[in-house]
């Protein structure tokens, strides 16, 4: 695992790329400032309390909210945060959007939970219908932490390092049946403000939180625009928050190109906001496949 602090609007380093390719993830410390941690945490927990009042929490008091920007637009600063977003365009290029995102709040569990096989790869049917071995990466996810998960047992994000190039993981016939954890499973430890960047193919799971620290995180998955979005942001352009977004953010949330297939395929780079932003900064690079002009 590599932990490297890097400046904004520069491509990921060769060291980071090597670690990401080897392990399927990297941890980047102190991506968010103290004020950003405070603002993000307050926004998420504010929505959590609203959901509690509306009776929308799980039986254990947890929140798993999809399409978070549609519900908590104050978090929009995360989707193109320069210290984090650099990893996305370095790996996926400029013709992309957020196809799947969620915020999560998991308070302390007071009863032992029934054993459940949480291990999975992101991508749903992509993992059944694409025939190659290994399957292509297709998407990368950013996980921001707004709580202290610097020790294990706090609902830590758990991965099997290096498993992103393995199409199949042995498991139970049914998720509710007892089965040993995969050998080498690692609970990632991080401080509030740290970032985990991971390949959607890495086998991962959420562990249970029996600590007295409430687990708070925000996850954003990026993919080429020619892959359909799972997030539901259709009403966002009709809200006051839309006017406060920059053009790159609007692209990431699916509001650019008016759904035109050719535009989503990348046939019009000059009118794609992220392409323009990278070109303006001289960051289109023919030596990096994802950044070929």
């Amino acid at each position: 695992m590599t932990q490297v602090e890097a400046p904004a609007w520069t491509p990921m380093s060769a060291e980071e790329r090597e670690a990401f390719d080897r392990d399927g993830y990297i941890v980047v410390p102190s991506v968010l400032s103290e004020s950003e941690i405070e603002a993000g945490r307050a926004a998420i927990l504010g929505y959590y309390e609203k959901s509690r009042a509306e009776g929308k929490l799980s039986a254990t008091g947890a929140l798993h909210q999809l399409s978070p920007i549609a519900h908590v637009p104050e978090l929009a600063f995360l989707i193109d945060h320069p210290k984090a977003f650099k990893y996305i365009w370095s790996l996926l290029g400029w013709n992309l959007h957020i196809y799947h995102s969620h915020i999560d709040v998991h308070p302390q569990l007071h009863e032992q939970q029934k054993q459940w096989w949480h291990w999975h790869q992101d991508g749903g049917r992509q993992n059944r219908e694409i025939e190659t071995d290994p399957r292509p990466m297709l998407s990368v996810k950013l996980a921001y932490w707004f709580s202290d998960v610097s020790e294990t047992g706090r609902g830590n994000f758990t991965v099997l390092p290096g498993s992103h190039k393995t199409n199949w993981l042995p498991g139970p016939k049914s998720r509710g049946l007892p089965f040993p954890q995969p050998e080498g499973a690692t609970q990632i430890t991080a401080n509030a403000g740290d970032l985990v960047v991971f390949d959607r193919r890495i086998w991962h799971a959420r562990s249970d939180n029996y600590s007295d620290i409430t687990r708070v995180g925000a996850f954003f998955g990026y993919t080429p625009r020619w892959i359909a979005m799972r997030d539901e942001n259709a009403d966002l352009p009709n809200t006051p928050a839309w006017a406060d977004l920059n053009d790159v953010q609007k692209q990431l949330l699916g509001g650019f190109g008016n759904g035109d297939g050719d535009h989503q395929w990348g046939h019009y780079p000059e009118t794609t906001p992220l392409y323009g932003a990278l070109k303006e900064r001289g960051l289109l690079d023919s030596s990096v496949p994802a950044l070929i002009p």
Side-chain angles (χ1 to χ4, degrees):
M1 180 179 68
T2 299
Q3 291 186 314
V4 180
E5 187 166 346
W9 282 105
T10 58
M12 67 189 301
S13 69
E15 180 187 15
E16 290 170 321
R17 190 179 289 274
E18 179 183 4
F20 185 85
D21 184 64
R22 179 189 67 237
D23 299 332
Y25 74 100
I26 57 174
V27 180
V28 189
S30 304
V31 163
L32 300 179
S33 67
E34 289 299 324
S35 61
E36 289 171 332
I37 296 169
E38 182 178 346
R41 181 179 173 85
I44 294 172
L45 292 181
Y47 184 77
Y48 176 79
E49 292 303 326
K50 177 176 180 289
S51 298
R52 184 207 298 275
E54 295 173 351
K56 295 181 179 180
L57 302 182
S58 74
T60 60
L63 171 72
H64 177 67
Q65 179 62 62
L66 303 179
S67 311
I69 304 304
H71 301 276
V72 193
E74 301 94 319
L75 298 176
F77 76 94
L78 296 173
I79 68 177
D80 65 340
H81 192 291
K83 288 188 177 181
F85 191 43
K86 56 178 282 183
Y87 297 102
I88 298 302
W89 54 257
S90 290
L91 291 163
L92 295 175
W94 49 268
N95 188 39
L96 49 85
H97 58 194
I98 295 170
Y99 80 112
H100 173 50
S101 57
H102 49 94
I103 51 175
D104 295 274
V105 180
H106 289 89
Q108 181 180 20
L109 294 168
H110 298 284
E111 296 181 358
Q112 186 70 32
Q113 298 299 290
K114 179 182 177 181
Q115 192 170 39
W116 190 261
W117 185 258
H118 290 289
W119 289 92
H120 67 283
Q121 294 174 308
D122 286 346
R125 298 296 301 182
Q126 292 173 349
N127 298 313
R128 293 179 179 268
E129 297 172 1
I130 294 178
E131 299 174 351
T132 60
D133 188 2
R135 287 182 284 263
M137 179 171 64
L138 293 179
S139 66
V140 176
K141 214 166 193 178
L142 300 180
Y144 291 95
W145 294 109
F146 293 94
S147 60
D148 182 357
V149 287
S150 60
E151 297 180 9
T152 60
R154 296 179 176 178
N156 303 62
F157 179 61
T158 306
V159 301
L160 192 59
S163 63
H164 55 303
K165 296 182 180 179
T166 302
N167 280 2
W168 184 256
L169 184 69
K173 292 182 179 180
S174 173
R175 287 187 177 272
L177 296 176
F179 201 86
Q181 290 294 299
E183 184 177 354
T186 301
Q187 290 192 25
I188 293 179
T189 55
N191 294 307
D194 291 354
L195 176 78
V196 181
V197 186
F198 64 99
D199 184 321
R200 68 143 194 110
R201 299 171 296 176
I202 195 168
W203 288 91
H204 61 281
R206 175 185 54 79
S207 59
D208 289 329
N209 179 21
Y210 294 102
S211 77
D212 59 1
I213 295 177
T214 296
R215 175 192 191 261
V216 183
F219 296 74
F220 299 93
Y222 301 75
T223 199
R225 292 167 69 221
W226 38 264
I227 293 177
M229 298 176 68
R230 182 183 179 188
D231 278 2
E232 298 179 356
N233 298 322
D235 292 336
L236 261 177
N238 302 318
T239 66
W242 190 254
D244 295 328
L245 301 178
N246 62 51
D247 283 347
V248 170
Q249 291 172 333
K250 291 177 181 178
Q251 173 188 325
L252 295 176
L253 294 170
F256 218 90
N258 298 318
D260 178 81
D262 281 348
H263 205 288
Q264 291 175 320
W265 275 27
H267 290 331
Y268 304 106
E270 296 293 347
T271 57
T272 304
L274 182 54
Y275 180 94
L278 293 171
K279 183 178 181 180
E280 180 183 355
R281 293 167 173 82
L283 292 170
L284 296 175
D285 185 352
S286 60
S287 68
V288 179
L291 294 176
I292 293 176

